[in-house]
Amino acid sequence: MTAQVRLNLYERGIVEELVEHFGYSADGARRLVVQYIAVIRKLGGYDSCRDHAERLVQAQQLNLMPEEWLERIRSIDREAAADKGILHLEHGSQYARVW
């Protein structure tokens, strides 16, 4: 028996966009959102539901599995954490002093 995933309001909005603008049935749209639920939740609700729906359609067309997408996100996060910036363009702590 598989557990039923409870979609939040944002995730339900993605389902609605898949139905209204991308030709999915309600059941097919929900299945797609559930398939990529970990990715959706990792990326957060910053973009519009329609933008996110479009990304899901593209991922499905490219046969991009959710775990591959998550690994790419993790890789980008690691690169960002290791980035030391551009030292000659950044000001040192002396610019933060108020006295």
Side-chain angles (χ1 to χ4, degrees), residues 17 23 38 48 52-53 72 79 84-85 91 95 98:
E17 291 296 326
S48 72
H52 217 116
R72 179 66 180 135
E79 290 171 11
K84 302 295 184 212
H91 301 294
Y95 291 99
V98 288

Side-chain angles (χ1 to χ4, degrees), residues 3 5 8-9 11-12 15 21 29 32-33 36 43 58 70-71 88-91:
V5 175
N8 65 31
L9 186 60
E11 295 156 354
R12 289 193 305 264
V15 170
H21 299 285
L32 184 61
V33 169
Y36 287 93
L43 292 175
Q58 290 172 348
L70 286 169
E71 181 52 40
H88 72 280
L89 295 178
E90 295 179 357
H91 301 294

Side-chain angles (χ1 to χ4, degrees), residues 53-95:
E54 185 175 7
R55 283 189 204 104
L56 294 182
V57 171
Q58 290 172 348
Q60 185 179 47
Q61 290 171 345
L62 295 170
N63 294 319
L64 179 65
M65 295 288 97
E67 190 51 46
E68 293 173 301
W69 196 347
L70 286 169
E71 181 52 40
R72 179 66 180 135
I73 293 168
R74 287 190 287 267
S75 174
I76 291 168
D77 286 347
R78 281 191 301 272
E79 290 171 11
D83 186 5
K84 302 295 184 212
I86 304 172
L87 296 177
H88 72 280
L89 295 178
E90 295 179 357
H91 301 294
S93 61
Q94 69 271 16
Y95 291 99

